[in-house]
């Protein structure tokens, strides 16, 4: 945190004189107008195509974490009321537009396109970008219904961070996060706080590896239970709080084949839930 | 100027998404808790009267989760978690025992 504070101080010290000098520049310093060709407009927080391709390359390098799984990307609601049906996606560069097919479950595979890479294209949805958040989706086939595999989640974190998918806050906030949090820092640390989302509101999360079984502590559900109403809009868990959990992806005492299962808020109650 | 300071403050407060220290649930006697709390019947008012307020999270759905804790010895705690519906009635309960890998407080 001290390092972050120092970085912010340096950022402010560097930025303020630049703003100040721009405000003080008189008419004599006014730059000559330039002509540029703009064929499309990009939201400043659209996803970077280059970064998402880097995420896909990371998936290939770390595939041993989930050898049977394929990679997809997943769009999730970020703000209240966003319509998650009929989403279309395009890879948009200065002179290229590549449509991306989005499945009914709002997952998609990103095509590789060299021209889009050269043009530093953006991945753009027909929604206000800040209305959604994005995640990598890595699912090993054949798992028991309703379960996840810890190695899959480890890979989702690495790919998601490499691809710049987390939409936690304002562009400034996102920029600071990107500068200070590498995939390794986030995914290999108990303080990494990488959020996973379930399809349904969760009440309990259980890990199972061989004979070892543990229930996740309360602080690993609902984004740690630390989000006040004022701060929640800064978190990409804003409308998914009751589906949100941390997984101990940093803890290598849990093997990649560890199964993660869930009890849901809307499950029928068991007969003697509290009795040990 | 207030807005940039607010944003920077938020950036400091969040690294991934959360950084405030753990706020434990209120410590109660587990035997009394399991005797008094009955899913489908116990109300918010009854919980407050019997055990007092504790750490709680309110969701957009109107549901709430409440965390109480019981001493398990050796500086460790058992978690007693409740799910309350929109009417404030306990719908579910669960118990998480301490594990050897849990950090001591």
């Amino acid at each position: 945190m001290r390092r972050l504070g120092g970085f912010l101080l340096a950022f402010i010290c560097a930025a303020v004189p630049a703003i100040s000098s721009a405000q003080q520049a008189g008419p004599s310093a006014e730059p000559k107008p330039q002509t540029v060709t703009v064929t499309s407009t990009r939201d400043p927080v659209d996803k970077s195509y280059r970064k998402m391709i880097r995420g896909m390359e990371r998936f290939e390098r770390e595939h041993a974490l989930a050898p049977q799984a394929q990679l997809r990307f997943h769009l999730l609601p970020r703000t209240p009321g966003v319509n998650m049906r009929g989403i279309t996606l395009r890879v948009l560069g200065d002179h290229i537009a590549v449509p991306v097919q989005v499945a009914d479950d709002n997952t998609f595979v990103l095509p590789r396109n060299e021209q889009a890479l050269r043009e530093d294209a953006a991945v753009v949805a027909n929604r206000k970008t800040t209305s959604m958040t994005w995640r990598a989706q890595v699912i090993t086939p054949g798992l028991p219904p309703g379960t996840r595999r810890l190695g899959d989640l480890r890979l989702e974190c690495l790919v998601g961070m490499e691809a710049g998918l987390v939409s936690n806050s304002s562009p400034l906030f996102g920029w600071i996060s990107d500068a200070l949090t590498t995939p390794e820092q986030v995914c290999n640390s108990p303080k990494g706080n990488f959020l996973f989302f379930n399809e349904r509101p969760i009440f309990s999360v259980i890990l199972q590896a061989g004979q070892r079984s543990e229930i996740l502590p309360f602080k690993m559900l609902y984004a740690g239970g630390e989000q006040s109403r004022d701060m929640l809009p800064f978190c990409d868990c804003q409308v998914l709080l009751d589906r949100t959990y941390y997984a101990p992806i940093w803890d290598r005492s849990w093997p990649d084949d560890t199964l993660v299962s869930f009890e849901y808020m809307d499950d029928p109650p068991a007969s003697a839930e509290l009795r040990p | 100027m207030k807005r940039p300071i607010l944003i920077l403050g938020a950036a400091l407060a969040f690294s991934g998404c959360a950084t405030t220290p753990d706020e434990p649930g209120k410590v109660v006697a587990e035997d009394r808790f399991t005797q008094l709390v009955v899913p489908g019947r116990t109300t918010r008012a009854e919980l407050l009267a019997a055990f007092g307020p504790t750490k709680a999270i309110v969701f957009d759905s109107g549901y709430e989760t409440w965390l109480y804790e019981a001493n398990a010895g050796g500086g460790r705690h058992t978690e007693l978690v409740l799910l309350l519906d929109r009417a404030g009635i306990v719908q579910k309960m669960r118990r998480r025992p301490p594990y050897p890998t849990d950090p001591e407080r």
Side-chain angles (χ1 to χ4, degrees):
Chain A
M1 187 58 84
R2 192 176 297 166
R3 192 175 149 202
L4 175 60
F7 177 83
L8 287 173
L9 188 61
F11 167 70
I12 293 164
C13 293
V16 168
I19 296 165
S20 175
S21 63
Q23 288 170 341
Q24 288 168 4
S28 61
E30 196 172 309
K32 292 178 181 175
Q34 293 180 338
T35 304
V36 294
T37 304
V38 178
T39 55
S40 60
T41 55
R42 299 185 199 175
D43 191 305
V45 285
D46 281 337
K47 298 304 174 192
S48 159
Y49 180 67
R50 283 181 180 170
K51 286 183 93 171
M52 290 188 72
I53 293 293
R54 283 208 296 272
M56 290 161 57
E57 292 167 350
R58 181 92 192 214
F59 175 80
E60 294 304 330
R61 290 201 302 277
E62 313 269 1
H63 207 165
L65 289 168
Q68 308 302 319
Q70 301 296 313
L71 171 64
R72 298 181 69 83
F73 293 102
H74 193 192
L75 298 167
L76 295 147
R78 169 74 175 80
T79 52
V82 59
N83 179 6
M84 294 300 289
R85 291 186 178 178
I87 296 169
T88 61
L89 275 183
R90 286 185 301 165
V91 178
L92 212 55
D94 290 331
H95 303 96
I96 188 172
V98 181
V100 179
Q101 185 150 9
V102 180
D104 289 343
D105 63 356
N106 291 325
T107 63
F108 64 94
V109 173
L110 194 61
R112 193 178 175 95
N113 184 292
E114 293 305 319
Q115 184 182 343
L117 273 175
R118 280 197 305 276
E119 293 187 7
D120 193 14
V123 185
V124 181
N126 64 340
R127 296 285 185 282
K128 190 172 170 55
T129 306
T130 50
S131 67
M132 296 190 299
T133 191
W134 310 46
R135 286 291 188 276
Q137 186 188 73
V138 178
I139 298 179
T140 293
L143 297 177
T147 62
R148 300 299 317 271
R149 181 180 168 277
L150 200 60
D152 297 5
L153 299 180
R154 287 181 170 130
L155 197 44
E156 285 186 4
C157 179
L158 290 168
V159 173
M161 291 305 299
E162 191 80 53
L165 297 184
V166 178
S167 303
N168 256 349
S169 177
S170 68
L172 174 61
F173 177 74
W175 179 80
I176 291 170
S177 294
D178 289 347
L180 294 181
T181 50
T182 65
E184 289 74 19
Q185 284 173 320
V186 170
C187 303
N188 296 332
S189 164
K191 294 183 178 176
N193 293 341
F194 186 88
L195 295 173
F196 295 97
F197 302 118
N198 199 289
E199 296 293 314
R200 293 161 59 192
I202 53 179
F203 185 54
S204 184
V205 181
I206 303 108
L207 302 181
Q208 178 88 44
Q211 297 300 309
R212 182 183 178 194
S213 177
E214 289 188 15
I215 302 167
L216 286 186
F218 189 81
K219 66 181 179 184
M220 292 182 70
L221 276 55
Y222 321 126
E226 296 157 353
Q227 311 298 321
S228 69
R229 285 280 153 192
D230 290 344
M231 298 306 276
L232 202 52
F234 289 101
C235 181
D236 75 347
C237 61
Q238 182 180 1
V239 296
L240 297 170
L241 188 62
D242 54 6
R243 303 169 186 207
T244 300
Y245 63 102
Y246 299 126
I249 50 178
W250 64 87
D251 182 352
R252 294 290 162 180
S253 72
W254 291 103
D256 290 336
D257 282 330
T258 299
L259 279 184
V260 184
S261 58
F262 304 88
E263 182 188 346
Y264 297 102
M265 289 187 182
D266 54 3
D267 279 343
S271 53
E273 283 179 314
L274 195 64
R275 308 300 183 255
Chain B
M1 193 59 192
K2 277 183 181 173
R3 195 175 177 86
I5 289 172
L6 186 68
I7 292 171
L8 288 173
L12 282 167
F14 288 93
S15 176
C17 213
T19 50
T20 53
D22 298 338
E23 181 190 328
K26 180 161 187 178
V27 176
V28 299
E30 186 172 353
D31 286 350
R32 181 164 174 262
F33 190 88
T34 55
Q35 282 170 7
L36 290 182
V37 180
V38 181
R41 207 166 66 199
T42 305
T43 66
R44 177 191 289 112
E46 289 168 340
L47 286 173
L48 291 172
F51 306 107
T54 188
K55 183 180 178 75
I57 302 173
V58 182
F59 303 104
D60 290 344
S61 63
Y63 277 67
E64 302 177 23
T65 49
W66 289 28
L67 171 68
Y68 287 98
E69 295 186 287
N71 270 321
R76 300 181 191 282
H77 293 80
T78 297
E79 289 186 350
L80 305 163
V81 184
L82 304 174
L83 177 69
L84 278 68
D85 66 13
R86 295 179 193 90
I89 297 172
V90 173
Q91 288 301 316
K92 295 169 84 76
M93 300 196 293
R94 66 177 176 85
R95 175 183 187 274
R96 179 192 184 269
Y99 296 101
T101 51
D102 283 356
E104 284 186 37
R105 286 204 190 122

